[in-house]
Amino acid sequence: MVKWNMRVIVTGGAGFIGSAFVRKLNLEGIDDILIVDELGTSDKWKNLRGLRFRDYWDKSELASSVLANHIDPVPDAIVHMGANSSTTERDADHLIENNYRYTQRLAEWAVERNFRFIYASSAATYGDGENGFSDEVPIETLMPLNMYGYSKQLFDLYAKRTGLAERIVGLKFFNVFGPNEYHKEGMVSHVYRGCQQILETGSIRLFRSYRDDYNDGDQKRDFIYVKDCADCLWWLLNHPSVNGLFNLGTGQARSWNDLAYGLFTALERPPRIEYIPMPEELQGRYQYFTEASMDKLAATGCPLPRYSLGEAIADYVRGYLYPTLRYLG
C-alpha cells in the first residue's frame, strides 16, 4: 500500500491528466508532490490553482537533476504524464526528444533506484486499428498513423526490448475528456468544443464519413472521463507489484453522434447536428473505430471506469463547463 507520507513526482502535473491526478493525490491526503511541467504562455498554470504541492520545476530542471543524480528529497514514485500530446505535430525530432528520450531517461533512473514509475503511452500506437486494440498483441506489429503515436510506440518498444516493461507501468490512454483540458486549444476534446458550439450556435459540428460502412457521425471512439483515469493511476500507485503495458479506456466504443446527443441532453437543448467535411490532411490518417480491450487491466484487480459516457458528459458539462469554466482544485 502507498505510504501516507509518500513523495511523488508528477510530470505534466499542470496539464490535463497530470493535474487531475494531483487533485486525486490531494484528496487521498498526499501533498508532498513535485510538479514538473513547461508552462510557457498558455493558461495551463490555472490548473494548479487550488492544488497542494511541495514545489514546481520546469521539465529541463528535472532532466538536468536526473543526469546529475541530484534530487532531494528522494521520491517514492514518478508518474510521468508529461509529453507533447499533439497528434498533428510534424516536428519528429521534437517528438522523439520529448516523448521518447525524456521518458527513457526518467524510467531508467527510477528503475535503477527502485522508484515506482508509471508513464503515459497512447492508443495512437494502434494506428488504424486493423489489428484490433488488444494490449496483449505483440507491440512490434503496430503501425501508428502519425508521428505522435510513433514517438509513444518507440518507448513502448524500448521498454520491452530492455526488460524495463516488467518493472514499470505504461497506460495506453484512449479518448480522455474532462475538466482541466481548457488550455489544450486545438487538442481539446469534442465534449468541450461541442459544448461551446452548442452554447454559441445551438448546433454541433461533426465530421462526415468517407467510408461506406460508416454513416456521418457514426465513427466511434472509446471515450473515458479524466476522473476515471485519475482513479486508475491511484490504484496502480497502491499496487506496486502490478507492472506492464495496459489499455485505459472504458471498453465500449461510442459514436460521435452518441456524444453529441449526450451534450444536448446535458444542456437541455434540442439536438441539431451539422456534418462538415474532414480536412484532407486527416482523411488518410483518421481512426474510424477505437475500443480498448480492458481484460488485461481487469485481471490485475484494478477497478474499471465507473462513469458511463452520458454520466461523464453530464458531470463535466453541469459541474464544470456551464455556465462558466471550473477547474479541478
Side-chain angles (χ1 to χ4, degrees):
M1 296 297 291
V2 163
K3 298 188 302 183
W4 292 108
N5 60 345
M6 182 178 236
R7 293 168 175 159
V8 185
I9 295 176
V10 182
T11 74
F16 176 30
I17 300 174
S19 63
F21 182 59
V22 172
R23 172 183 178 266
K24 177 66 177 178
L25 290 174
N26 287 171
L27 291 173
E28 298 293 342
I30 295 175
D31 55 17
D32 194 351
I33 303 165
L34 171 61
I35 289 180
V36 179
D37 214 304
E38 186 177 42
L39 294 177
T41 59
S42 76
D43 282 340
K44 188 161 47 170
W45 64 270
K46 293 181 179 179
N47 289 342
L48 298 177
R49 296 178 301 181
L51 300 178
R52 305 189 313 276
F53 52 95
R54 173 174 49 83
D55 204 356
Y56 171 89
W57 284 7
D58 184 82
K59 69 174 188 178
S60 61
E61 189 174 359
L62 178 63
S64 60
S65 296
V66 166
L67 288 174
N69 192 26
H70 181 68
I71 293 183
D72 184 36
V74 174
D76 296 292
I78 301 176
V79 178
H80 179 43
M81 298 292 107
N84 182 328
S85 60
S86 173
T87 58
T88 58
E89 176 61 60
R90 302 298 296 274
D91 187 338
D93 291 329
H94 170 80
L95 287 169
I96 287 177
E97 179 59 32
N98 281 270
N99 294 0
Y100 171 53
R101 292 294 184 194
Y102 196 92
T103 308
Q104 184 184 54
R105 295 187 195 106
L106 289 185
E108 290 175 344
W109 180 73
V111 167
E112 286 171 4
R113 289 154 184 82
N114 294 315
F115 306 150
R116 183 69 162 145
F117 186 78
I118 302 172
Y119 75 96
S121 181
S122 173
T125 58
Y126 287 114
D128 63 6
E130 180 181 353
N131 296 317
F133 298 92
S134 170
D135 46 11
E136 299 191 83
V137 302
I139 57 176
E140 297 85 355
T141 65
L142 303 181
M143 298 290 287
L145 295 176
N146 52 51
M147 186 57 211
Y148 163 73
Y150 182 59
S151 70
K152 289 293 190 177
Q153 187 190 27
L154 274 176
F155 180 75
D156 293 345
L157 290 168
Y158 176 82
K160 181 178 180 179
R161 184 170 64 252
T162 60
L164 277 175
E166 299 173 6
R167 302 180 65 185
I168 63 178
V169 176
L171 292 171
K172 289 180 180 258
F173 289 96
F174 278 65
N175 285 68
V176 186
F177 68 95
N180 289 22
E181 65 171 310
Y182 320 124
H183 64 281
K184 292 170 65 69
E185 298 181 346
M187 295 304 298
V188 295
S189 74
H190 207 63
V191 179
Y192 173 74
R193 184 182 294 113
C195 182
Q196 303 308 304
Q197 291 174 1
I198 293 169
L199 292 175
E200 291 170 7
T201 70
S203 66
I204 188 172
R205 295 185 292 276
L206 302 178
F207 284 143
R208 294 174 185 165
S209 172
Y210 291 80
R211 286 175 46 172
D212 293 338
D213 52 339
Y214 285 88
N215 294 325
D216 292 339
D218 276 344
Q219 307 96 318
K220 292 185 176 181
R221 293 284 186 277
D222 192 331
F223 302 102
I224 181 170
Y225 200 30
V226 72
K227 291 183 180 181
D228 280 327
C229 295
D231 287 346
C232 177
L233 287 166
W234 170 249
W235 188 91
L236 288 165
L237 202 60
N238 272 278
H239 294 80
S241 63
V242 175
N243 293 305
L245 184 59
F246 302 95
N247 285 338
L248 185 50
T250 64
Q252 182 179 10
R254 300 293 299 274
S255 72
W256 293 106
N257 286 325
D258 290 335
L259 182 147
Y261 286 119
L263 279 170
F264 285 114
T265 297
L267 290 167
E268 298 181 341
R269 303 289 180 91
R272 285 176 51 197
I273 301 175
E274 176 186 357
Y275 299 104
I276 62 173
M278 186 183 299
E280 289 186 11
E281 63 270 20
L282 287 182
Q283 291 182 24
R285 298 186 289 121
Y286 186 79
Q287 291 176 308
Y288 274 72
F289 180 89
T290 67
E291 183 177 82
S293 170
M294 295 297 293
D295 293 343
K296 184 179 176 183
L297 186 61
T300 69
C302 181
L304 296 183
R306 58 191 174 94
Y307 285 90
S308 69
L309 179 61
E311 290 168 343
I313 290 174
D315 184 74
Y316 185 21
V317 170
R318 295 171 183 170
Y320 299 91
L321 294 182
Y322 180 81
T324 58
L325 293 182
R326 288 183 56 233
Y327 289 79
L328 285 167

